[in-house]
Amino acid sequence: MAKGMGNGFPMAAVVTTPEIANAMSQAIHFNTFGGNPMACAVGSAVLEVIDEEKLQENSRVIGTYLIEQLAKLRDEFDIVGDVRGKGLMIGIELVTDQASKTPLPAEKIMKVWDDTKELGILVGRGGLYGNTFRIKPPMCITKQDADFGVAALRKAFEMNRNIGKS
């Protein structure tokens, strides 16, 4: 895992099972920056902030709220085939229609994606067909931020209501 754990500082960590970790002790393993004092200080500081500001709990609460609100979009728009996720890692799968679940073609995905950007939110794209919007807000997201994001997505879907039919 990496990126967010350093809050902008370049660092990463490996999390594995005891069996795999024990196997590593049987081979020569070299890491240029392993145990870097600056990285250790940054990592510890980030973990302290996560704990002090209760960001894990915020991720659970706001993530659950966000998934519930995004699920309502599935009920409103035929191009929203699925909403899934856990915590603040959320995916919205876009399809031509909910009955067939045929992935929305790339050029149509790009239209909706561009509209969300113009409305003020940035989402990633992923999935086997590139038709899933990846929503990964920061752990400090507020309910107000979540509501803004849902409203922007709703507007983008309204602007493209019939895109799956054409």
Side-chain angles (χ1 to χ4, degrees), residues 13-114:
V14 175
V15 178
T16 187
T17 64
E19 295 78 23
I20 293 173
N22 289 336
M24 292 300 293
S25 68
Q26 304 304 314
I28 295 175
H29 178 70
F30 181 78
N31 186 319
T32 304
F33 300 108
N36 174 315
M38 177 68 89
C40 292
V42 169
S44 292
V46 170
L47 289 173
E48 285 176 26
V49 170
I50 288 171
D51 187 47
E52 289 169 6
E53 296 185 10
K54 299 182 181 2
L55 294 177
Q56 281 184 296
E57 176 66 9
N58 188 64
S59 295
R60 185 187 66 75
V61 170
I62 301 299
T64 299
Y65 173 77
L66 189 52
I67 290 171
E68 289 169 352
Q69 297 307 304
L70 292 170
K72 293 176 183 177
L73 298 179
R74 183 184 51 224
D75 299 335
E76 294 175 42
F77 301 99
D78 203 35
I79 64 168
V80 179
D82 193 21
V83 173
R84 57 186 174 267
K86 184 171 178 119
L88 293 174
M89 302 252 339
I90 303 167
I92 300 176
E93 185 177 6
L94 301 182
V95 297
T96 57
D97 64 273
Q98 291 179 354
S100 72
K101 300 271 191 199
T102 302
L104 198 62
E107 66 278 0
K108 294 180 179 185
I109 291 283
M110 292 306 295
K111 169 75 172 83
V112 180
W113 192 64
D114 284 340

